[in-house]
Amino acid sequence: MYQASYLKHFTEEVFLAIGCRPEEARLAAEVLVSADLRGVDSHGIARLAGYVRLYDHGRLNPTPNIKVVHETPSTAVVDGDKGLGLVVAPRAMEIAMEKAEKVGSGWVSVRNSNHFGIAGYHAMLALQKEMIGMTMTNAAPLVTPTFSLEKLLGTNPIAVAVPALNEPPFVADFASTAVAYGKFEILQRKGLPAPLGWAQDAKGEDTTDSNAVKSGGGLLPLGSDREHGSHKGYGLGAIVDIFSGVLSGANFGPWVPPFATAGFMSAQEGVGLGTGHFLGAMRIDGFRPADEFKKDMDKWIGAFRGAKAVKGKRVLIPGDPEREIEAVRSVEGIELLEPVVLSLSELAKRFGISFESNL
Amino acid sequence: MYQASYLKHFTEEVFLAIGCRPEEARLAAEVLVSADLRGVDSHGIARLAGYVRLYDHGRLNPTPNIKVVHETPSTAVVDGDKGLGLVVAPRAMEIAMEKAEKVGSGWVSVRNSNHFGIAGYHAMLALQKEMIGMTMTNAAPLVTPTFSLEKLLGTNPIAVAVPALNEPPFVADFASTAVAYGKFEILQRKGLPAPLGWAQDAKGEDTTDSNAVKSGGGLLPLGSDREHGSHKGYGLGAIVDIFSGVLSGANFGPWVPPFATAGFMSAQEGVGLGTGHFLGAMRIDGFRPADEFKKDMDKWIGAFRGAKAVKGKRVLIPGDPEREIEAVRSVEGIELLEPVVLSLSELAKRFGISFESNL
């Protein structure tokens, strides 16, 4: 078990070692390890070596000049200057919130960025200011849209954070696919098959092969097949791609460069700059008095959480599972898998940083 | 077969007969019959009698005073004054577009409205102004969130319209459920079972009973079950409900009043005013020069439409199916089912309007 503070400190040291500015290294560490704290292990410190690999390949600028390249009072395009998405996205969210402060809402499309960690982190920044936060990002193509044999979309997540009064906030954060790719990696390690409805094979047929995505197949959009609405998951992933990539001038669709899956994917020649994100903030009192709204959110949450449930289960509010895991892990610490510990040990050795392997 | 112009004229006459203002009766007819033209038969003239029923029950104000009750430069709450959603939503979209014209984007949450027809119609209004349009609405509870035995959400659709250059626009318009309720009504008429993954029964178990929603069961969120991401479809429907209902001060969650399903649902005591919508518009050139963006949208559409497909199929762009149906129906006319023709004949008789039944 590792305490979050220890992992954050280590991550910060690694980002400093590749030349990040101190305050940005600290922020990036905070964002990255928030994923481990919230139970989204696939997006946390397990990917630290991946960010370093981006740096090694010249795709990551440790001292980016993040700037607004075009704007109106409520909209902007931000160029991330090849910076860490972990740093670019919070900066873009700040800009969105500054605009919301002035004109009610702010919407920022980001180009020339990299993977930004968990979408929910950035959306939740809005909660501190009595705003609704929204975040999306495109990602390298792993997903075959309905009837397609080609991978054209990433898992393209969307997160929305909404404040409540006495209840904890509503925080939805989900990929536009049936499952995230990380679930396949877990099955691959264990040599287990996948349920039908998660992936298709190279011929476009539903498959239980947990290696299908690596061998010509693709992840299925949310809905799994046409009969169960996969065209809706495809539509949702497409909206995320257009808002993040096309609106900003980043890469989009099949051209988004690979990150975590660099092992079996090669970037096609680009059509824009880096990876794209889309971030928005709306002031609650741009619509209703914040207290009235938050009281109604408590009522909303109460109705859902209190609903009669299937035997042995309960109805969860988006954000409940992550919050419950965070409550445990922030006390008991975070368990890391052996390959993750090994990758951190290697980074420690390379950069001359101390890291206590527990293997 | 009926020509769209004939059905629009008839619909306009009916709305005039219940006291709507001439220009609003015409607009409402235009919006309603656009659903039939685009192949969304469940949301078109088949529901005309339903709107009249709302009027009969005192829930519809034919001469509403639609007004902004609160606003900032980029946000507003609009009160629909119990008007036809078919009229309230286009007015709210106009307000969103006026705001976008001035400050880059406009976001309007609507309370005290009624069913607004197809979400896509309103989103597409933005296309005429080189804007991206977004529309959502909440609806009466038919959907059981993941693990819930209670129906807490409507089919809560979302529509996004994005302009392209030489390609037709991207128009996604989909419910946040595995299927729309209309698909069950078709199966019920034919006495056929439903595929698994569309609905659950009163015990929360997956069922093929096409009457399940009427007998204690519920529609399943997009994703169908937890293993295939139903919590994501639930999250999406919840976001739509919060933006449409809680942000505006309309009813939300289990309290949204019934419309099409009034036959087997009773409205619980309300927590707000009427049904809620959420409409947004973003000026393309609030982000990038519109021509550059639209050229990239053509490239996006080309990559997807040109992708290698499963044998006998092709990869469709959101909006393709509806556009293709519209091209046919605007020439050949619209086929109406017998119960729909009967309901229109009854309306004709009641209001002394001519209607040529083809039965």
Side-chain angles (χ1 to χ4, degrees):
Chain A
M1 288 296 215
Y2 290 90
Q3 287 302 313
S5 55
Y6 182 81
L7 296 179
K8 281 183 194 172
H9 180 74
F10 178 77
T11 301
E12 187 181 340
E13 294 284 308
V14 170
F15 284 136
L16 284 171
I18 62 171
C20 292
R21 301 179 187 107
E23 70 276 23
E24 293 180 351
R26 198 167 52 244
L27 172 60
E30 169 72 27
V31 177
L32 192 69
V33 177
S34 78
D36 297 292
L37 267 174
R38 292 175 66 77
V40 194
D41 300 356
S42 57
H43 284 54
I45 201 163
R47 285 193 169 170
L48 182 55
Y51 288 98
V52 173
R53 201 159 56 231
L54 283 179
Y55 170 76
D56 291 336
H57 285 68
R59 279 181 49 208
L60 179 66
N61 177 1
T63 56
N65 176 19
I66 303 166
K67 59 174 189 288
V68 172
V69 292
H70 183 72
E71 67 181 322
T72 70
S74 77
T75 65
V77 165
V78 162
D79 187 304
D81 197 20
K82 295 169 57 178
L84 281 166
L86 304 166
V87 168
V88 174
R91 177 71 196 113
M93 195 66 189
E94 259 175 45
I95 294 166
M97 292 190 293
E98 283 162 18
K99 288 179 177 295
E101 204 66 66
K102 286 181 196 153
V103 296
S105 74
W107 306 88
V108 177
S109 190
V110 178
R111 71 186 193 199
N112 213 6
S113 185
N114 279 297
H115 196 281
F116 73 9
I118 48 171
Y121 179 92
H122 312 297
M124 288 171 75
L125 292 174
L127 297 175
Q128 302 156 12
K129 308 219 170 186
E130 302 222 309
M131 294 179 184
I132 291 176
M134 188 189 291
T135 323
M136 314 175 181
T137 187
N138 66 12
L142 288 176
V143 181
T144 41
T146 310
F147 302 139
S148 177
L149 291 175
E150 292 180 33
K151 292 189 270 283
L152 299 168
L153 289 170
T155 51
N156 295 7
I158 180 167
V160 172
V162 183
L165 192 65
N166 299 314
E167 295 284 351
F170 171 104
V171 183
D173 181 359
F174 54 87
S176 52
T177 47
V179 292
Y181 187 66
K183 300 235 172 156
F184 284 94
E185 293 174 320
I186 293 166
L187 294 173
Q188 287 161 17
R189 275 196 291 270
K190 298 182 180 167
L192 291 174
L196 285 171
W198 284 16
Q200 68 180 33
D201 64 17
K203 287 180 188 152
E205 273 158 36
D206 205 350
T207 180
T208 59
D209 176 7
S210 56
N211 288 293
V213 180
K214 289 188 192 179
S215 45
L219 287 181
L220 294 173
L222 179 59
S224 297
D225 59 29
R226 179 62 181 77
E227 186 170 71
H228 295 87
S230 67
H231 55 300
K232 302 175 186 187
Y234 157 36
L236 189 64
I239 291 164
V240 171
D241 191 39
I242 291 167
F243 283 20
S244 303
V246 188
L247 207 47
S248 66
N251 289 294
F252 50 79
W255 293 281
V256 181
F259 170 57
T261 50
F264 67 95
M265 283 183 61
S266 64
Q268 300 184 42
E269 204 179 337
V271 292
L273 298 172
T275 296
H277 318 312
F278 185 79
L279 303 101
M282 296 191 285
R283 244 169 57 200
I284 299 292
D285 66 4
F287 296 91
R288 290 178 72 190
D291 273 1
E292 281 180 25
F293 173 87
K294 292 197 285 185
K295 236 179 264 176
D296 273 352
M297 275 307 298
D298 277 3
K299 197 179 286 178
W300 193 100
I301 291 168
F304 282 68
R305 190 172 281 139
K308 214 178 141 194
V310 172
K311 206 177 162 193
K313 300 285 185 185
R314 60 201 169 99
V315 179
L316 297 169
I317 306 303
D320 275 353
E322 296 88 348
R323 197 169 32 78
E324 289 168 11
I325 293 174
E326 185 168 4
V328 173
R329 291 192 175 180
S330 58
V331 176
E332 296 182 5
I334 295 158
E335 177 116 36
L336 298 181
L337 295 174
E338 188 176 323
V340 176
V341 173
L342 288 173
S343 81
L344 300 183
S345 299
E346 275 173 38
L347 289 172
K349 196 172 155 198
R350 169 173 168 186
F351 293 117
I353 306 165
S354 88
F355 180 73
E356 288 173 42
S357 164
N358 59 3
L359 296 178
Chain B
M1 288 295 218
Y2 290 89
Q3 287 301 311
S5 55
Y6 182 80
L7 296 180
K8 281 182 194 174
H9 179 74
F10 178 76
T11 302
E12 188 181 339
E13 295 284 309
V14 170
F15 285 135
L16 284 171
I18 62 170
C20 292
R21 301 177 187 109
E23 71 275 23
E24 292 180 351
R26 199 166 53 242
L27 172 60
E30 169 72 28
V31 177
L32 192 69
V33 178
S34 78
D36 298 291
L37 267 174
R38 292 175 67 77
V40 194
D41 301 357
S42 57
H43 284 55
I45 200 161
R47 287 193 168 169
L48 182 54
Y51 289 97
V52 173
R53 202 159 55 232
L54 282 179
Y55 169 76
D56 290 336
H57 285 70
R59 280 182 45 209
L60 179 66
N61 177 1
T63 55
N65 176 20
I66 302 166
K67 60 172 188 288
V68 172
V69 290
H70 182 73
E71 67 181 322
T72 70
S74 77
T75 65
V77 165
V78 162
D79 187 302
D81 197 21
K82 294 168 59 178
L84 282 165
L86 304 165
V87 167
V88 174
R91 177 70 196 115
M93 195 66 189
E94 259 175 45
I95 293 166
M97 293 190 292
E98 283 162 18
K99 289 181 178 291
E101 205 66 67
K102 286 181 196 154
V103 296
S105 74
W107 306 88
V108 176
S109 191
V110 179
R111 72 185 193 199
N112 213 5
S113 185
N114 279 297
H115 196 280
F116 73 9
I118 49 170
Y121 179 92
H122 312 296
M124 288 171 75
L125 292 174
L127 297 174
Q128 303 157 11
K129 308 220 167 181
E130 302 223 308
M131 293 179 185
I132 291 175
M134 189 189 290
T135 323
M136 315 175 182
T137 188
N138 66 12
L142 288 176
V143 181
T144 40
T146 310
F147 302 138
S148 177
L149 291 176
E150 292 180 33
K151 292 189 270 282
L152 299 168
L153 288 170
T155 52
N156 295 8
I158 178 168
V160 172
V162 183
L165 192 65
N166 298 313
E167 297 283 352
F170 170 105
V171 184
D173 181 358
F174 53 88
S176 52
T177 47
V179 294
Y181 187 68
K183 300 236 171 155
F184 284 94
E185 293 175 319
I186 294 167
L187 294 174
Q188 287 161 16
R189 274 196 292 271
K190 297 181 179 167
L192 291 174
L196 285 172
W198 285 15
Q200 69 181 31
D201 64 18
K203 288 180 188 152
E205 274 158 37
D206 205 351
T207 179
T208 59
D209 176 5
S210 56
N211 289 293
V213 179
K214 289 188 194 180
S215 45
L219 286 181
L220 293 173
L222 180 57
S224 297
D225 59 31
R226 179 63 180 77
E227 185 170 73
H228 296 87
S230 67
H231 55 301
K232 302 175 186 189
Y234 157 35
L236 190 65
I239 291 165
V240 171
D241 191 39
I242 291 167
F243 283 20
S244 303
V246 188
L247 207 47
S248 66
N251 289 294
F252 50 80
W255 294 281
V256 181
F259 170 57
T261 50
F264 65 95
M265 283 183 62
S266 64
Q268 301 185 40
E269 205 179 335
V271 292
L273 297 171
T275 296
H277 318 311
F278 184 79
L279 303 101
M282 295 191 285
R283 246 169 58 201
I284 299 291
D285 66 4
F287 296 91
R288 289 177 75 188
D291 273 2
E292 281 180 24
F293 173 86
K294 292 196 287 185
K295 236 180 263 176
D296 274 352
M297 275 307 296
D298 278 4
K299 197 180 285 178
W300 192 100
I301 290 168
F304 281 67
R305 191 172 280 139
K308 216 179 141 194
V310 173
K311 208 179 160 190
K313 300 286 185 185
R314 60 201 168 97
V315 180
L316 298 169
I317 307 302
D320 276 353
E322 295 88 347
R323 197 169 33 78
E324 289 168 11
I325 293 173
E326 185 167 6
V328 173
R329 292 192 174 178
S330 58
V331 175
E332 296 180 6
I334 295 158
E335 178 116 36
L336 298 181
L337 295 174
E338 189 176 322
V340 176
V341 172
L342 288 174
S343 81
L344 299 183
S345 299
E346 275 173 36
L347 290 172
K349 196 174 155 195
R350 168 171 169 186
F351 294 116
I353 305 166
S354 88
F355 179 74
E356 290 174 42
S357 166
N358 60 2
L359 296 178

